[in-house]
Amino acid sequence: GENVEQHPSTLSVQEGDSAVIKCTYSDSASNYFPWYKQELGKGPQLIIDIRSNVGEKKDQRIAVTLNKTAKHFSLHITETQPEDSAVYFCAARANAGGTSYGKLTFGQGTILTVHP
Amino acid sequence: EAQVTQNPRYLITVTGKKLTVTCSQNMNHEYMSWYRQDPGLGLRQIYYSMNVEVTDKGDVPEGYKVSRKEKRNFPLILESPSPNQTSLYFCASSRRLAGGDSYEQYFGPGTRLTVT
């Protein structure tokens, strides 16, 4: 089955700096890669996603890059703010039986702390 | 308001006493799933459902059952809970957005289960 590794497990940055979180996956059939933000006491929230036919996707201060050959993808947050502090999860999903709703495998999570 | 609701939010029970955690969504999503979140392990998918009466195992299905008799509800059943099922559980629902590459996805607020 799919295995997703996420690094680092914790990341501390100063407000205004950039933050990068990296994930690798094992299943070459995976074709959908979402990123989630989880604030304390809440469920994860989808913040950005990318499909395997795209190398990069950007939404304001966040961007995701995908290297399908190397099987890794990264989340980039620029101009970080204290409210970006949360746990971030990457995930990977492969097609299953012709649908796009196959198994979703998550990374272990990264605790991001942005210091004012 | 679009939302996924879970009940109960907190539950303490004893080994072997059957329990059900309910999950309901009001967005007419086809796809629903259950995850458990444990420290250092991220979120692991227990079961998922692609539509009414269509369910499949995730990565950690042992000890759990699900049913999808209605589109809006996806209960998680623990027939004989054990202490190793002590965890934080999340229900999620999603649908693929027409004409795009993204998914509309929501997680519930979580259910913290303790089995003694």
Side-chain angles (χ1 to χ4, degrees):
Chain A
E2 175 69 276
N3 182 48
V4 178
E5 296 287 335
Q6 182 173 346
H7 298 280
S9 56
T10 60
L11 179 58
S12 184
V13 300
Q14 288 296 127
E15 182 176 1
D17 288 349
S18 295
V20 181
I21 302 170
K22 300 181 179 181
C23 289
T24 61
Y25 62 98
S26 62
D27 188 351
S28 57
S30 288
N31 62 357
Y32 174 67
F33 307 93
W35 285 89
Y36 298 84
K37 176 183 181 182
Q38 185 178 24
E39 297 175 330
L40 196 62
K42 297 183 178 179
Q45 179 183 10
L46 178 67
I47 56 172
I48 194 168
D49 55 14
I50 191 169
R51 296 186 68 83
S52 59
N53 58 352
V54 176
E56 182 175 0
K57 185 176 179 180
K58 192 172 182 180
D59 183 3
Q60 298 182 342
R61 294 187 298 108
I62 60 173
V64 57
T65 59
L66 171 66
N67 184 327
K68 196 178 179 185
T69 303
K71 288 192 265 186
H72 66 72
F73 55 113
S74 301
L75 177 71
H76 304 253
I77 306 174
T78 59
E79 301 171 27
T80 54
Q81 302 166 3
E83 50 265 39
D84 294 329
S85 296
V87 181
Y88 290 81
F89 292 97
C90 63
R93 169 182 280 163
N95 276 340
T99 74
S100 297
Y101 293 155
K103 291 181 183 180
L104 188 61
T105 302
F106 281 79
Q108 295 82 1
T110 296
I111 302 172
L112 173 64
T113 304
V114 180
H115 299 283
Chain B
E1 178 189 356
Q3 61 181 356
V4 178
T5 56
Q6 293 179 229
N7 282 293
R9 294 290 313 280
Y10 302 90
L11 179 60
I12 300 174
T13 189
V14 296
T15 299
K17 186 177 181 181
K18 180 179 179 180
L19 66 91
T20 299
V21 184
T22 64
C23 174
S24 183
Q25 51 98 359
N26 62 359
M27 297 162 282
N28 201 37
H29 285 172
E30 301 89 6
Y31 180 64
M32 298 185 74
S33 56
W34 276 102
Y35 298 88
R36 61 177 289 172
Q37 184 174 18
D38 301 290
L41 297 177
L43 290 112
R44 293 179 293 168
Q45 193 173 44
I46 303 170
Y47 270 94
Y48 62 97
S49 169
M50 289 179 277
N51 216 322
V52 175
E53 302 292 1
V54 181
T55 63
D56 204 352
K57 296 177 181 178
D59 291 319
V60 287
E62 295 77 20
Y64 304 94
K65 286 176 57 178
V66 293
S67 68
R68 188 89 181 275
K69 293 182 169 52
E70 307 165 279
K71 199 171 187 179
R72 63 180 293 124
N73 296 322
F74 190 45
L76 179 69
I77 303 157
L78 284 72
E79 294 272 4
S80 183
S82 62
N84 64 12
Q85 292 179 297
T86 292
S87 187
L88 179 59
Y89 291 86
F90 288 100
C91 179
S93 75
S94 63
R95 69 179 178 95
R96 187 174 182 180
L97 295 177
D101 291 335
S102 292
Y103 291 82
E104 178 183 83
Q105 183 169 45
Y106 295 87
F107 276 79
T111 295
R112 185 163 293 281
L113 172 66
T114 302
V115 183
T116 60

